[in-house]
Amino acid sequence: MSRVALVTGANTGIGWAIAERLQRDGFAVGFHSRDDREDSRERFEEISKRGPAHWLRGDLGETDIAERLIAETVETLGGIDALVNNAGITVSKPALELGAEDFDRIFSVDVRGAFLMAVAAARRMREAGRGVIVNITSVHEHVPRPGFALYAPAKAALGMITRSLALELGAEGIRVVSVAPGTIRTARNKDADKDADEIPLGRAGEPEDVAAIVAWVISDEARYVTGASLLVDGGFIQHGVGS
């Protein structure tokens, strides 16, 4: 029986790369997208042709969605061994232009939604006595940047959730780790290459670079790793990303 991994926001960018990598590593994939748009459907059909997969849909900003998505994953794929909280919202604009709607929009998904998904998954993982939860944060979990007055605090909050859950869930055999990408070249980040001169390794990252670290974290090779935040940024943060 295949191990099962649920990846939120699996229809694009980093989430898609993670879903593909975990499937290649032998996982049945819970493929989550916010809605059932045609591009998401095409991505799911592509991945489902290569192995066991189930399409999960729903807005992670809704307070009752986490229990449904986890229950549906367990029912259709037979369990849940790993959860990757990848889905998130990015808003970049000056702090004085932000308001309550922006705050609620970001924190409802990036923080509350991820937390509720982690708790719902951990309850199922506890029954099996093992499991891994990976929270995709950002270098801005660690350092601020102009324009990210809400995004950076949301990622920092998710990073602290990682550490807090790691303390509580370790005795249950559940590991919790943050993976913090830097500048990653995706369809949504068309300007990724403009930061290349500030990155010690000289290039923006690829979604597959993040997926490789996530795959390692979930593997038994990382069985003694929990509560950590692993940077995948080519050394960007060392260069003073907050400047």
Side-chain angles (χ1 to χ4, degrees), residues 90-94 97-98 106 145-149 151:
T90 303
V91 174
S92 178
K93 57 183 178 181
E97 296 178 12
L98 294 165
I106 293 175
R145 190 172 191 174
F148 284 175
Y151 177 77

Side-chain angles (χ1 to χ4, degrees), residues 15 20 28 30 72 113 162 229 232 243:
E20 281 196 306
E72 189 175 334
T162 293
S229 178
V232 188
S243 61

Side-chain angles (χ1 to χ4, degrees), residues 146-205:
F148 284 175
L150 286 178
Y151 177 77
K155 293 305 184 183
L158 184 54
M160 185 56 72
I161 286 172
T162 293
R163 295 166 65 185
S164 299
L165 291 180
L167 284 174
E168 294 196 29
L169 299 178
E172 307 289 348
I174 301 168
R175 296 188 293 109
V176 190
V177 178
S178 291
V179 171
T183 302
I184 304 298
R185 190 183 294 112
T186 66
R188 293 181 182 178
N189 190 9
K190 300 182 185 300
D191 296 328
D193 291 323
K194 72 180 179 58
D195 293 325
D197 291 343
E198 300 178 42
I199 301 171
L201 291 186
R203 66 171 178 86

